[in-house]
Amino acid sequence: MSAPESNAIAAEIVATETAALDRWLSGDPSGFLQVSDEDVVYFDPFLERRLDGLAALTAYYEALRGKISAARYEILNPKAQVFGDSVVLTFNFVSWGGTDDAKRWNCTEVYARRGDAWKIVQTHWSFTNPRRG
């Protein structure tokens, strides 16, 4: 794959993720559900175990519908690594609600080409908690 093709795919993946986050932070998880594969796996620090499959992810997200919001957010240090029909997107995420307190996260999303579309097949969110020492 040429560098321009790889760069175009990387830009598309970052745009897809940004659009889904825009919806998520206005209380609508459908953006992520629409770009998730049927076989998606999902890790979240609020869950004891991994969620397997779109049905399980949908049930989890529907319970959160309308409850998530942020006044603004930033995607920091995004890196989309293209490997043929797969892309690994990693970034740091910071959001601000109604206070000055920022919520900081690490995120990894693995996208796979499914026909003409890119779908999330693996999601991993964790809290950013750098050790100080």
Side-chain angles (χ1 to χ4, degrees):
M1 177 177 305
S2 71
E5 289 173 313
S6 183
N7 290 341
I9 291 169
E12 179 184 352
I13 294 299
V14 172
T16 298
E17 189 77 12
T18 300
L21 281 166
D22 287 344
R23 291 178 72 176
W24 177 261
L25 294 172
S26 66
D28 178 9
S30 297
F32 277 112
L33 294 173
Q34 290 169 353
V35 297
S36 292
D37 191 73
E38 288 292 326
D39 292 324
V40 66
V41 295
Y42 177 87
F43 283 103
D44 182 310
F46 294 108
L47 298 173
E48 186 175 312
R49 299 183 195 279
R50 179 189 69 226
L51 293 178
D52 293 328
L54 186 57
L57 183 61
T58 299
Y60 180 60
Y61 278 3
E62 287 302 328
L64 299 173
R65 185 175 292 278
K67 298 177 182 173
I68 306 292
S69 66
R72 66 185 180 94
Y73 74 90
E74 291 182 36
I75 294 175
L76 304 173
N77 309 309
K79 183 171 186 165
Q81 299 170 279
V82 180
F83 304 100
D85 286 337
S86 299
V87 179
V88 178
L89 173 65
T90 56
F91 59 92
N92 302 105
F93 178 79
V94 183
S95 66
W96 293 266
T99 68
D100 289 337
D101 292 337
K103 292 182 175 49
R104 298 178 184 278
W105 300 81
N106 301 310
C107 181
T108 301
E109 303 273 39
V110 179
Y111 283 79
R113 189 185 315 265
R114 298 292 194 239
D116 293 335
W118 290 98
K119 296 288 188 171
I120 297 171
V121 294
Q122 198 275 342
T123 297
H124 191 131
W125 286 88
S126 62
F127 297 119
T128 302
N129 189 12
R131 291 189 177 260
R132 304 195 197 300

